[in-house]
Each structure stands twice: as C-alpha cells, then as structure tokens.
Amino acid sequence: MILFTNLEDVKIDDRNYNPKPVLKLTIENYFDLEELSVTQRKTLDLLKKEARTNSFEVRII
C-alpha cells in the first residue's frame, strides 16, 4: 500500500489546495475499541503514531 503524502502545488480550477492524505479503514461490523485485543490495540497505536509522524489521518469507518 502506498499513501501519497508528498503532493505539492495542488490546483483545481485555479484554486490552490493543501491536501491532507487520509487512510480509511473499513470494518464489516460494529467496531468497539474496548473489544480489541492487546495486539490489535498496539497495532492501532502504532498506526496512529505513524500518522502523526507523517502527517496523515486515520479514519475507521
């Protein structure tokens, strides 16, 4: 998977935009943070840390 975070000079119809990459994670059923295993919680925490470090957003939908 590649998430493009290095977009510069983005213009649409002569309007400048400052894009923010978003990684959307979809889940099949109801998501409850409290029901995650220790390993899953660590993985999610690492992904959030990666997002902060590399300026992208993580959404769980």
Side-chain angles (χ1 to χ4, degrees):
M1 172 179 55
I2 299 173
L3 185 64
F4 294 97
T5 60
N6 59 345
L7 297 174
E8 295 179 6
D9 299 323
V10 177
K11 280 188 174 185
I12 300 174
D13 294 330
D14 292 327
R15 289 184 66 188
N16 290 324
Y17 290 89
N18 185 16
K20 181 169 186 175
V22 176
L23 174 63
K24 291 184 181 179
L25 304 173
T26 57
I27 49 178
E28 194 172 310
N29 296 317
Y30 175 75
F31 176 79
D32 186 358
L33 185 61
E34 300 300 317
E35 293 183 15
L36 293 179
S37 69
V38 173
T39 303
Q40 290 170 326
R41 192 176 299 266
K42 284 182 182 179
T43 301
L44 185 57
D45 288 341
L46 287 171
L47 183 58
K48 288 179 181 179
K49 182 179 178 184
E50 180 78 16
R52 282 191 303 274
T53 301
N54 291 303
S55 302
F56 68 91
E57 184 178 332
V58 175
R59 294 184 187 169
I60 300 173
I61 56 172

